[in-house]
Amino acid sequence: MINSSLKQLGDLLQAKKISSVELTQTFLTRISQYNPSINAYIALDEAKTLNQAKAADARIASGNAAALTGIPIAQKDIFCAKGWQTTCGSKMLANFIAPYDAHVITQFDAAGAVNLGKTNMDEFAMGSSNETSYFGGVKNPWSFDRVPGGSSGGSAAAVAARLCAAATGTDTGGSIRQPASLCGFTGLKPTYGVVSRYGMIAFASSLDQAGPMAKSAEDCALMMNVMAGFDERDSTSLNREKEDYTRDLNKPNLDLPLKGLKVGLPKEFFADGLDVSVGKVIDSAIAEYKKLGAEIVEISLPNTGLSIPVYYVLAPAEASSNLSRYDGVRYGHRAAEYTDLMDMYNKSRAEGFGAEVKRRILIGTYVLSAGYYDAYYLKAQQIRRLIAQDFVDAFKQCDVIMGPAAPSTAFKAGEKVDDPVAMYLQDIYTISTNLAGLPGMSVPAGFAQSDDGKQLPVGLQIIGNYFDEARMLNVAHQYQQVTDWHNRMPDLDKPNLVMPEGKV
Amino acid sequence: MEWEVVIGLETHTQLKTNTKIFSGASIKYGAEPNTQACEVSLALPGVLPVLNKEAVQCAIKFGLAINAHIAPRSVFARKNYFYPDLPKGYQISQFELPVVGKGAVTIQVPAVGKNAAYEKVVNITRAHLEEDAGKSVHDLKNNGAVEGMSGIDLNRAGTPLLEIVTEPDMRSAAEAVAYAKKLHELVQWIGICDGNMQEGSFRCDVNVSVRPKGTEKLGTRREIKNLNSFKFMQQAIEYETRWQIETLEDGGSIQQSTVLFNPDTGETRAMRSKEEANDYRYFPDPDLLPLVITEADKARVQADMPELPEAMKARFEAQYALSSYDANAITTSRDLANYFVAVVDAGADAKQAANWVMGSLAAKLNAADMSINDSPINAQQFAQLLKRVGDNTISNNAAKQVFEAMWNAEGEVDGIIEAKGLKQESDTGAIEAIVDEVLAANPAMVEEFKAGKEKAFNALVGQAMKASKGKANPAQVNEILKIKLST
Amino acid sequence: MALSIEDIKKVAHLARIEVSDSDAAATLTKLTGILGLIEQMQAVDTTGIEPMSHSQDLSQRLREDVVTKTNLRDEFQKNAPVLGNGSTEPAVAGGLYLVPKVIE
């Protein structure tokens, strides 16, 4: 049951073969068994969760069930959920109980989904390994000595370890796709503006976007049907007609289901910096796509190499301002001892934020400060346009772009903690889509062997044009019809098990 | 050395909306602390701003009223600084691209001493939309827990403001005050601000610098913050100007700073909290998209725009043959002008109406600190009073008594005339009889008049008026007396 | 643009984050590394390129001026921080949030 798709679970629930309470209890039991070692969840509230499950069962009984009614979903702790501790992975908000619901939470509630708990994450979503969380690191379920990626590391581990049916994440520079790659599941960052940011704690407002983290593309599509949609409380929310993201999945299977699909491979994504073993997995995934009828086109994204410098100006700049509200006045951490107002601010913020968050606030403050604005902030915004334009040009030659989601497989905990620049390079293939506002996915594509002989998951990134999520999901879905990487799950009782060769 | 003061104003006008600029929280004044501080006002984690349509309409209205350029695309920016009444740690404002660009306001500077009154154009640099901060409350009751603490009330946080910035065009406190008054009238006239200065709906920051007369280079300025009365503004500018001149003449220099005016001492002093140079790190707010205003948007607002004071003044001069002075006085407020028009529309003579409204009525309202809308005498009744003067039912003197009675809510015009017996005697025969009696009773006066003493005529008129108990129409008395004395 | 300890202290002050002298030195090293990464931008000629603040070229939507919020003060103030300086009470009194005296 824990490895069933959302569709299968929905069918079981609606056929009343299982109850939501049973299903939820199954996951809660797994969580109590494995979470102490994996640390995927920050906040659990069994009573609240089971109450939702009971309500879902009642709804199913009344015949009003929707696709996800009764299905237990893990929520990244970046979403405010009324009555739930909502920390964003920070000491600053360790005692914050959200008094309102994020739009995403409201949507899942309306769908009748069950909130299993709040998942661990890098503090304020700043990190690529989940090691900046105030609540401790998260184990990669495939290898407990390794990181799950970040910032949505808790959701990633929860999905990979089957500690939830599916989870939500957010992606500012790769925070859904990189952990999806490192933990071996399917994650989608939608087009900017498709999922409301209301109630999602801001990191970098012009880049943040929520999306699904689930086992398969089909699961992601069902999650998107709930998460996406216009919200008048977010000025950047796009007022578009409601879409059915599963619409392309159910077309009859042809011999060449992706015939005519032009897949662009940016040469910059296969250059130095890509781990050779990861490159091999990506190559074999591309080969599989050819078998499905796709046509491969070599393309170039000439400015993509600048995406990391641009991102590390823009994201910290926005963050430095977004995080100014944490001042110890109305909520959040206030220093225990202080002499005056200035001292209260300085201490509360120094104590409440972790090292990486402080670094980014300082960088952001610096690049916006008098005398540096033009050279850093404005310049970065100009190059951002060049990067976005690269994609516009590329999509004249292809329908989707493919490449690796991360340059390597999961690295060891502690390996990059003291080297922020090395850590930042984790997002080298994902950041440009955030800058452009485009949708991107990571799809399990196989395993690569690490230096110490472990088989670790590798994700194939699929980048689509604006609002092309349904097509991307189908592109991933067709691949998942002929591969089973997305169905592999780690053995949590022997987490360092060397995986057998895959089917492909 | 002769000095010249250079003054520019930044005025924060609180816009007359129902809700905050970026959230649906009420902006009603005087609510219990933090009861109108919603999640957006409090800057809870995850909240986002959405722009209030009405606030935008107000900005367009103001731009149209001062013939300003209205930006087809303007941008909201974050002004970053820490202050407990600023919950987000930044204020959403407009920086590089404000909604309203260059415009102008014509002011009338009143006569002072030997200097005659004059008109002057004050150029508006820009006007931009922004959110207000909350309030710090210092006088907390001294229970143990709050000693040494200030209280923060965020009801006001997020209230929509239009900040109106002038060029440094003013050269005296009188000009600055005339501008401030004119702007105060204008924003109320077009209905974008209630103008309540006590409640902080209209607050002026005044930039003051001095320079040797005849030089071009601007001196270092000091900004006097948050002046909330015209009297204080006058005092503060005068004090600040003297202080700057004395400082420079004593060989000192002026440091750019923000100062507060203390009404009790009449002095200005530098604010402690703003000592450090600020670096606001403005950047476009990523949570808000550019504000686009089309020609059609402007046309819609224009259609709703009331006739502006300048146009109305010109119309009153032409239509009612009012003097420029009267027309100007009548159009200092829209309510006053509306009242005047209502009086005239109800049949009163325009010139009389202007005299009475600006004279007796204005004096009464002033003394009682009331606005024209609170006048106990409505326009219809006022017109009725003036009609009774016009048709000779009562004399001007009697009209004053009727006005007093109406002010004191003693009834309607005709009832009061009746009750007080103020009706004027206009019957020629009756007046002739009285005049005859007076002439017969005062032969000495008649002799004096005939001997060429003009004063005697007035004395005879007085006698006749007295004999009629003040009710005889004085003009008729005059006329009849003249005829009788000339025969 | 080489970063100095003074820059770190100035920026930390602007950001209201207390940084000890030893922290400042460590921070300087890391921030210098990050700025080195950022410096790559300077090689690009961006003359005449319109800065990009948002990924979509859209305009601001306007909200009707209708009161939609109700008084949730008590709910919100449950999250008030602890006053500190020896007190474990929440930093609120009479509906106000309490902060050290604000001096104007």
Side-chain angles (χ1 to χ4, degrees):
Chain A
M1 200 155 63
I2 55 162
N3 208 25
S4 303
S5 72
L6 296 185
K7 172 127 195 352
Q8 289 166 338
L9 291 176
D11 290 347
L12 289 170
L13 284 163
Q14 286 175 40
K16 302 192 183 71
K17 295 201 169 124
I18 48 162
S19 71
S20 173
V21 170
E22 286 163 357
L23 179 62
T24 302
Q25 194 58 64
T26 302
F27 281 109
L28 286 173
T29 304
R30 262 183 89 74
I31 290 167
S32 65
Q33 188 180 353
Y34 294 109
N35 194 57
S37 50
I38 295 176
N39 201 26
Y41 286 88
I42 291 174
L44 293 160
D45 187 331
E46 283 205 12
K48 258 201 193 69
T49 298
L50 288 170
N51 272 337
Q52 275 193 309
K54 280 176 205 149
D57 283 331
R59 179 167 165 179
I60 292 165
S62 75
N64 291 322
L68 296 192
T69 303
I71 294 182
I73 305 290
Q75 300 289 353
K76 185 174 180 179
D77 202 26
I78 201 166
F79 296 103
C80 285
K82 194 170 176 177
W84 284 86
Q85 182 190 4
T86 300
T87 72
C88 219
S90 182
K91 179 183 179 185
M92 185 56 90
L93 292 175
N95 297 315
F96 183 74
I97 308 295
Y100 77 103
D101 281 327
H103 184 72
V104 163
I105 299 291
T106 305
Q107 295 290 90
F108 277 108
D109 283 353
V114 175
N115 184 349
L116 256 187
K118 306 294 289 292
T119 59
N120 207 338
M121 57 182 285
D122 278 302
E123 186 179 9
F124 286 103
M126 297 177 193
S128 305
S129 66
N130 214 105
E131 290 167 293
T132 72
S133 170
Y134 174 65
F135 300 91
V138 174
K139 301 270 196 306
N140 187 316
W142 294 95
S143 178
F144 278 13
D145 58 343
R146 287 167 194 265
V147 301
S151 67
S152 313
S155 284
V159 173
R162 309 303 193 248
L163 301 183
C164 61
T168 56
T170 62
D171 189 315
T172 305
S175 286
I176 287 175
R177 291 161 289 161
Q178 182 256 12
S181 178
L182 270 51
C183 288
F185 61 91
T186 312
L188 166 67
K189 179 206 94 78
T191 306
Y192 182 85
V194 162
V195 178
S196 168
R197 293 183 298 115
Y198 195 82
M200 178 178 125
I201 299 177
F203 160 18
S205 312
S206 79
L207 305 167
D208 296 343
Q209 185 61 205
M213 300 173 81
K215 291 181 290 287
S216 66
E218 183 193 56
D219 285 5
C220 283
L222 287 167
M223 292 280 281
M224 278 296 285
N225 281 352
V226 172
M227 297 175 78
F230 175 62
D231 175 16
E232 61 183 11
R233 296 169 302 178
D234 174 0
S235 294
T236 62
S237 171
L238 298 165
N239 196 352
R240 308 179 77 249
E241 241 174 83
K242 197 93 180 139
E243 282 186 49
D244 175 9
Y245 290 93
T246 65
R247 65 179 185 266
D248 288 350
L249 310 185
N250 306 318
K251 289 183 180 157
N253 254 330
L254 309 167
D255 286 347
L256 289 177
L258 296 180
K259 187 171 163 56
L261 181 81
K262 283 188 183 164
V263 173
L265 301 183
K267 60 178 192 223
E268 293 81 6
F269 280 19
F270 296 88
D272 288 351
L274 177 64
D275 194 290
V276 175
S277 63
V278 171
K280 276 187 189 152
V281 173
I282 300 302
D283 288 345
S284 61
I286 302 295
E288 193 65 27
Y289 269 101
K290 280 188 198 158
K291 288 192 217 160
L292 289 167
E295 181 191 330
I296 306 301
V297 189
E298 191 179 304
I299 59 163
S300 174
L301 300 167
N303 292 292
T304 195
L306 290 161
S307 56
I308 286 192
V310 165
Y311 178 86
Y312 280 96
V313 171
L314 298 182
E318 291 183 15
S320 71
S321 177
N322 282 336
L323 270 62
S324 290
R325 68 189 58 199
Y326 307 107
D327 58 3
V329 173
R330 303 163 313 286
Y331 54 83
H333 178 75
R334 182 186 289 202
E337 301 287 334
Y338 49 88
T339 55
D340 57 16
L341 182 64
M342 182 69 81
D343 195 45
M344 185 189 94
Y345 281 149
N346 286 337
K347 287 206 172 81
S348 299
R349 289 167 60 79
E351 295 167 9
F353 293 136
E356 179 63 17
V357 169
K358 285 192 261 193
R359 267 198 292 279
R360 298 210 197 178
I361 291 175
L362 295 180
I363 282 283
T365 304
Y366 180 73
V367 298
L368 287 174
S369 64
Y372 300 106
Y373 181 85
D374 286 3
Y376 289 124
Y377 187 78
L378 209 61
K379 184 106 189 167
Q381 281 205 327
Q382 290 173 310
I383 302 177
R384 180 180 183 181
R385 188 168 296 282
L386 295 177
I387 291 167
Q389 188 58 44
D390 281 356
F391 283 106
V392 172
D393 297 340
F395 282 118
K396 287 173 187 159
Q397 301 167 60
C398 61
D399 302 314
V400 294
I401 293 168
M402 288 188 189
S408 67
T409 53
F411 48 93
K412 286 191 173 145
E415 197 179 302
K416 300 183 200 286
V417 168
D418 285 323
D419 187 353
V421 171
M423 188 73 90
Y424 297 172
L425 291 172
Q426 271 297 305
D427 295 329
I428 191 157
Y429 305 126
T430 46
I431 279 177
S432 53
T433 52
N434 296 82
L435 292 170
L438 289 165
M441 286 185 82
S442 178
V443 181
F447 290 80
Q449 187 163 317
S450 67
D451 294 344
D452 53 358
K454 285 172 192 152
Q455 294 293 324
L456 297 168
V458 170
L460 168 76
Q461 186 175 208
I462 304 173
I463 299 168
N465 212 336
Y466 298 104
F467 311 116
D468 238 358
E469 288 86 352
R471 168 157 41 187
M472 292 159 65
L473 286 162
N474 184 47
V475 166
H477 179 69
Q478 296 307 333
Y479 177 74
Q480 290 177 341
Q481 298 309 295
V482 294
T483 60
D484 75 342
W485 305 117
H486 61 290
N487 282 328
R488 304 292 181 90
M489 54 183 278
D491 182 345
L492 299 182
D493 299 316
K494 298 179 200 158
N496 295 327
L497 186 75
V498 175
M499 290 298 296
E501 281 295 308
K503 177 177 130 189
V504 170
Chain B
M1 193 192 310
E2 210 183 331
W3 295 88
E4 178 177 62
V5 61
V6 176
I7 303 166
L9 263 73
E10 290 168 20
T11 308
H12 292 92
T13 52
Q14 189 179 305
L15 299 175
K16 227 160 86 180
T17 57
N18 298 317
T19 62
K20 295 187 176 180
I21 185 166
F22 296 120
S23 77
S26 171
I27 61 164
K28 204 170 271 171
Y29 184 82
E32 285 296 302
N34 289 313
T35 54
Q36 291 176 175
C38 67
E39 59 271 32
V40 178
S41 317
L42 286 174
L44 291 188
V47 298
L48 294 169
V50 184
L51 184 56
N52 184 337
K53 187 179 193 173
E54 188 58 30
V56 175
Q57 310 275 325
C58 288
I60 298 173
K61 220 168 188 181
F62 179 74
L64 292 172
I66 63 160
N67 277 319
H69 171 73
I70 293 168
R73 182 178 173 278
S74 64
V75 168
F76 286 93
R78 294 183 179 180
K79 179 180 181 179
N80 294 284
Y81 66 96
F82 285 88
Y83 211 69
D85 65 11
L86 187 72
K88 294 188 296 298
Y90 58 85
Q91 179 194 30
I92 304 177
S93 182
Q94 296 189 301
F95 186 52
E96 281 180 335
L97 295 169
V99 59
V100 176
K102 286 188 192 311
V105 171
T106 303
I107 62 171
Q108 278 79 32
V109 188
V112 182
K114 59 183 187 336
N115 299 322
Y118 59 97
E119 257 191 17
K120 175 169 180 149
V121 173
V122 173
N123 290 297
I124 304 294
T125 314
R126 60 184 281 163
H128 62 255
L129 284 165
E130 63 180 29
E131 57 180 344
D132 208 344
K135 282 180 182 165
S136 303
V137 180
H138 306 300
D139 51 348
L140 295 173
K141 286 190 189 72
N142 257 342
N143 67 56
V146 290
E147 193 146 5
M149 307 297 274
S150 293
I152 303 298
D153 176 8
L154 296 168
N155 281 348
R156 199 182 64 179
T159 296
L161 299 177
L162 187 68
E163 181 174 341
I164 302 159
V165 183
T166 73
E167 293 291 309
D169 280 353
M170 286 147 284
R171 294 291 176 271
S172 67
E175 286 186 4
V177 170
Y179 161 76
K181 282 186 173 166
K182 177 75 193 191
L183 187 67
H184 186 240
E185 286 155 10
L186 180 64
V187 294
Q188 292 177 81
W189 187 284
I190 60 175
I192 65 168
C193 174
D194 68 15
N196 191 325
M197 296 178 81
Q198 270 67 51
E199 292 176 3
S201 300
F202 187 90
R203 317 193 288 269
C204 295
D205 299 344
V206 184
N207 285 296
V208 179
S209 66
V210 297
R211 64 184 173 193
K213 195 154 186 147
T215 61
E216 283 292 310
K217 192 170 174 284
L218 290 172
T220 304
R221 65 167 198 266
R222 303 215 307 168
E223 182 182 20
I224 315 170
K225 272 266 180 227
N226 279 337
L227 292 166
N228 64 355
S229 95
F230 300 124
K231 193 176 113 198
F232 293 162
M233 182 185 294
Q234 177 97 25
Q235 291 174 359
I237 296 172
E238 283 169 355
Y239 176 86
E240 178 66 21
T241 307
R242 273 198 311 277
W243 182 87
Q244 289 192 16
I245 292 172
E246 279 165 20
T247 302
L248 291 170
E249 287 185 340
D250 291 349
S253 62
I254 308 293
Q255 306 302 317
Q256 186 166 333
S257 48
T258 306
V259 304
L260 288 176
F261 175 68
N262 181 345
D264 298 329
T265 61
E267 294 176 0
T268 55
R269 67 161 174 85
M271 281 175 83
R272 275 180 282 179
S273 56
K274 303 258 175 166
E275 271 166 17
E276 58 179 291
N278 270 308
D279 183 346
Y280 291 124
R281 289 158 283 138
Y282 281 100
F283 73 105
D285 192 331
D287 288 331
L288 291 161
L289 298 164
L291 171 61
V292 169
I293 295 173
T294 63
E295 289 303 317
D297 295 331
K298 284 195 269 183
R300 262 194 302 278
V301 175
Q302 184 70 64
D304 262 357
M305 183 82 97
E307 185 181 21
L308 292 174
E310 314 295 307
M312 194 178 271
K313 177 179 172 251
R315 179 165 65 85
F316 284 1
E317 288 177 40
Q319 188 176 345
Y320 302 125
L322 295 187
S323 69
S324 169
Y325 179 87
D326 281 349
N328 197 51
I330 287 285
T331 55
T332 51
S333 106
R334 193 172 158 195
D335 291 335
L336 187 64
N338 286 343
Y339 187 89
F340 165 77
V341 168
V343 173
V344 174
D345 284 352
D349 171 68
K351 180 71 192 163
Q352 286 291 327
N355 285 344
W356 275 87
V357 170
M358 295 316 300
S360 305
L361 182 60
K364 276 281 183 200
L365 291 171
N366 251 336
D369 195 21
M370 285 161 73
S371 87
I372 188 79
N373 294 334
D374 309 325
S375 169
I377 306 174
N378 68 34
Q380 278 63 37
Q381 278 296 299
F382 213 103
Q384 187 65 16
L385 172 65
L386 299 185
K387 275 194 274 185
R388 288 291 169 259
V389 177
D391 67 10
N392 286 328
T393 306
I394 53 171
S395 67
N396 249 317
N397 265 334
K400 282 187 180 139
Q401 292 178 56
V402 178
F403 173 79
E404 278 294 332
M406 287 163 81
W407 181 268
N408 294 322
E410 287 172 28
E412 303 215 322
V413 177
D414 291 341
I416 294 169
I417 293 172
E418 193 64 35
K420 293 194 182 280
L422 293 172
K423 195 164 178 187
Q424 188 162 255
E425 184 55 82
S426 298
D427 179 71
T428 311
I431 294 174
E432 272 184 9
I434 290 168
V435 168
D436 286 343
E437 264 173 47
V438 166
L439 291 175
N442 297 283
M445 282 185 195
V446 175
E447 284 310 309
E448 279 178 34
F449 175 76
K450 289 192 169 165
K453 287 197 174 172
E454 287 287 328
K455 268 189 184 167
F457 183 82
N458 291 339
L460 287 166
V461 171
Q463 289 297 322
M465 289 305 291
K466 197 175 164 189
S468 76
K469 293 181 182 130
K471 289 182 192 171
N473 182 333
Q476 274 177 294
V477 170
N478 259 293
E479 202 179 317
I480 292 168
L481 199 54
K482 256 183 212 162
I483 296 166
K484 301 245 173 203
L485 285 169
S486 64
T487 52
Chain C
M1 285 175 246
L3 212 55
S4 67
I5 288 279
E6 285 66 42
D7 290 330
I8 299 287
K9 293 207 159 166
K10 187 186 136 221
V11 169
H13 173 65
L14 273 177
R16 298 294 185 271
I17 293 175
E18 188 173 76
V19 177
S20 68
D21 288 345
S22 59
D23 284 351
T27 303
L28 177 64
T29 312
K30 294 218 162 85
L31 261 52
T32 300
I34 299 168
L35 280 178
L37 187 72
I38 292 170
E39 279 311 315
Q40 293 172 32
M41 294 194 313
Q42 304 309 331
V44 185
D45 181 6
T46 51
T47 317
I49 293 165
E50 180 74 10
M52 180 170 164
S53 296
H54 296 98
S55 57
Q56 257 130 63
D57 192 17
L58 297 170
S59 62
Q60 178 62 34
R61 182 162 29 81
L62 302 178
R63 176 179 62 77
E64 293 300 325
D65 183 27
V66 178
V67 175
T68 54
K69 302 291 183 187
T70 51
N71 173 21
L72 294 173
R73 183 177 80 183
D74 293 347
E75 185 73 16
F76 293 150
Q77 294 194 337
K78 283 181 195 159
N79 275 309
V82 168
L83 188 59
N85 284 338
S87 167
T88 53
E89 294 295 309
V92 284
L96 297 161
Y97 292 97
L98 297 178
V99 297
K101 201 128 205 120
V102 177
I103 302 160
E104 290 191 324

